[in-house]
Amino acid sequence: MDLSILFDVILTRPCAVGKRTEFALKEIMSSGGAEDDIPQAERKTVTDFCYLLDKSKQLFNGLRDLPQYGQKQWQSYFGRTFDVYTKLWKFQQQHRQVLDNRYGLKRWQIGEIASKIGQLYYHYYLRTSETSYLNEAFSFYSAIRQRSYYSQVNKEDRPELVVKKLRYYARFIVVCLLLNKMDVVKDLVKELSDEIEDYTHRFNTEDQVEWNLVLQEVAAFIEADPVMVLNDDNTIVITSNRLSETGAPLLEQGMIVGQLALADALIIGNCNNQVKFSELTIDMFRMLQALEREPMNLASQMNKPGMQESTEKPARRENPHKYLLYKPTFSQLYTFLAASFKELPANSVLLIYLSATGVFPSGRSDSEGPYDFGGVLTNSNRDIINGDAIHKRNQSYKEMHCLHPGDLYPFTRKPLFIIVDSSNSVAYKNFTNLFGQPLVCLLSPTAYPKALQDQSQRGSLFTLFLNNPLMAFLFVSGLSSMRRGLWEKCQDYLRKINRDIAQLLTHSRSIDQAFLQFFGDEFLRLLLTRFIFCSATMRMHKIFRETRNYPESYPQLPRDETVENPHLQKHILELASILDVRNVFLENTLDDY
């Protein structure tokens, strides 16, 4: 009798693990006819393994019950879960032979343990925004593949085991996407495609369409970038858009800016028909990376997740904590927003990024209040309480499934930095600062020239400028590929442009002080300089001729000192000259306004 057969029985009665394992061992001994054949030490090894396995499952399943919001309640629970999985992993390594012989341990079961540890690291990354944990998740997922832990699954007539393997591939792909390991992603997609084909052929299951959709989504996701950077041998260069040591323009000595630090960010995606994978739209993915530093080696940073020694100071400031909300209802969005607001430390900033379909007012209103211009869409699937019926009965009511500018007013009691990428972003243009705290809104164009509209499914141009301004510049210039050497030359020049934009902002005599109060934070400084570069580029471009084609902000920036500054315009024309695309930009832009 194989003890692994009793595995599910053991899990159903955790309090009786020891007794049940002992009973199973006695069954083995009686079936073998000699109780002395199994040494006490081996019996204890199996008992201890079953206990650790059961405990790890309990703790892992309990992670689902932890609140998704709030940063304090979950840490000790995660620490205990990591401890048990660490012990379990080492235990199966040290006693592999006994477990093979007496428990019947299979390689896919080892793979399941490794997969759970990979998931733990990934979810710890989601909770902390520390990119180093992604590297740890990658290490465990990679080991599963290299050691072929799931290789024998296909030989067993158990479709649920094959599904475990497919889910492992999907999770591994997400981690590789976040680490920009696109070469690995392409290999994994091919392997996953073969596995899905084999799975559907053998079992004729109903979830074939769902798994094929997964393949389509990831294929579209990795092809979303509109420009390819190529090596001399025509292989694609993988570029990272996380904050590097030289990413944000340095502050001049003596420059007076605020000391606020970005601590929390809500990244919200609710665009119809936009490329997505695993509840992460391409816009969310790009903004996520714009708010993170390049990963470090975790081993050099800390001993254990959540257990960093208080005496050791990290070499650099942490990433801001982030919540990723894909198509949230209004209730969900407000709950997470309130949790972030509540836990925001002193002298810190809350960032809200909204990439969502615009919601426009259904009727005319005599007033111009914070609920009269519409806003951006929230998901109605789980929030409807006779909402549609009410809406049809009386159009004077405000849109229910919409985040209005007025909904954010209570949160302006603390420093707030808002980015709205939507066809109705201008709804947030007439914001009112009620409490005198620093408040800035960066607003996307509400429409793009017709030549660019067909690219909206692959992500917003505005967000692309905030994430990868050079790629966005190449795209609006009509370029789809570039050699690595020229790309690096242009990146160097763009860094110079960012430094000059930073000087324009800090030297301005008429700029609203809110911009300068946020300028001390590296992430926000980079977003502000990229926003100005984006706005200046679009104002100089020949096909961006309507007012709705341009980004706006609250408070308004002084145009002549920033987005229409002749010095900045000269820089943009010089960048266009390096790329030999000067013909798509206006030479004398000031005369056209």
Side-chain angles (χ1 to χ4, degrees), residues 259-472:
Q259 299 302 310
L260 297 172
L262 178 59
D264 248 42
L266 268 73
I267 299 177
I268 298 151
N270 194 10
C271 282
N272 295 329
N273 302 319
Q274 191 176 96
V275 168
K276 74 166 205 54
F277 183 61
S278 184
E279 299 203 339
L280 194 66
T281 67
I282 192 67
D283 277 356
M284 293 171 69
F285 175 76
R286 287 170 175 162
M287 184 51 58
L288 167 78
Q289 299 217 328
L291 298 177
E292 289 182 347
R293 303 175 192 276
E294 285 293 346
M296 289 177 67
N297 184 354
L298 186 61
S300 65
Q301 248 188 330
M302 58 196 68
N303 301 322
K304 194 189 298 181
M307 300 293 180
Q308 185 170 348
E309 294 293 332
S310 58
T311 56
E312 296 179 10
K313 294 184 178 180
R316 52 185 176 178
R317 219 191 74 216
E318 296 177 354
N319 292 323
H321 173 261
K322 296 179 292 297
Y323 291 119
L324 306 177
L325 303 179
Y326 173 67
K327 293 195 172 182
T329 63
F330 178 82
S331 302
Q332 290 169 330
L333 196 160
Y334 229 57
T335 299
F336 280 86
L337 191 52
S340 286
F341 180 84
K342 177 184 177 183
E343 295 191 351
L344 197 70
N347 300 315
S348 297
V349 181
L350 172 60
L351 182 147
I352 303 172
Y353 169 78
L354 298 165
S355 166
T357 302
V359 176
F360 300 87
S362 55
R364 292 186 177 181
S365 174
D366 295 332
S367 61
E368 293 188 351
Y371 289 89
D372 294 319
F373 297 99
V376 299
L377 185 68
T378 57
N379 196 353
S380 61
N381 291 350
R382 296 177 292 277
D383 260 358
I384 293 180
I385 308 175
N386 298 324
D388 290 340
I390 292 173
H391 193 71
K392 291 172 183 174
R393 189 169 66 246
N394 191 337
Q395 286 197 347
S396 66
Y397 290 130
K398 306 306 178 188
E399 302 292 337
M400 180 184 296
H401 306 297
C402 170
L403 186 72
H404 298 268
D407 293 326
L408 298 179
Y409 277 18
F411 305 101
T412 60
R413 289 174 170 83
K414 294 181 180 180
L416 194 61
F417 195 99
I418 302 169
I419 302 172
V420 185
D421 195 338
S422 172
S423 56
N424 192 27
S425 60
V426 290
Y428 298 80
K429 181 181 176 182
N430 301 309
F431 228 96
T432 303
N433 190 341
L434 298 175
F435 304 103
Q437 291 293 312
L439 172 65
V440 161
C441 302
L442 305 183
L443 312 173
S444 72
T446 55
Y448 294 100
K450 290 182 179 179
L452 299 173
Q453 284 180 349
D454 60 346
Q455 299 292 323
S456 59
Q457 188 177 2
R458 298 167 69 178
S460 162
L461 178 61
F462 178 67
T463 293
L464 185 60
F465 262 104
L466 298 181
N467 164 260
N468 191 336
L470 181 54
M471 183 171 286

Side-chain angles (χ1 to χ4, degrees), residues 563-580:
V563 297
E564 293 176 7
N565 181 277
H567 184 63
L568 176 56
Q569 291 176 339
K570 182 180 176 183
H571 276 327
I572 290 173
L573 289 176
E574 181 59 32
L575 180 60
S577 296
I578 295 172
L579 296 165
D580 197 23

Side-chain angles (χ1 to χ4, degrees), residues 202-228:
R202 288 174 58 211
F203 298 107
N204 193 26
T205 59
E206 296 179 357
D207 56 354
Q208 178 179 358
V209 175
E210 295 175 21
W211 281 110
N212 284 330
L213 182 61
V214 169
L215 286 175
Q216 293 169 19
E217 285 184 348
V218 70
F221 205 92
I222 60 181
E223 294 172 1
D225 282 351
V227 179
M228 290 187 297

Side-chain angles (χ1 to χ4, degrees), residues 13-63:
R13 296 284 183 88
C15 60
V17 167
K19 292 180 180 178
R20 287 180 177 269
T21 305
E22 192 69 27
F23 171 74
L25 280 168
K26 286 181 178 179
E27 281 196 349
I28 290 176
M29 291 185 290
S30 61
S31 64
E35 187 171 338
D36 293 338
D37 287 349
I38 300 181
Q40 182 67 31
E42 292 186 6
R43 183 187 292 111
K44 186 177 186 307
T45 296
V46 174
T47 305
D48 291 348
F49 176 75
C50 289
Y51 171 80
L52 287 172
L53 194 59
D54 177 50
K55 190 67 177 175
S56 68
K57 289 273 188 178
Q58 285 182 48
L59 289 169
F60 191 90
N61 292 336
L63 293 173

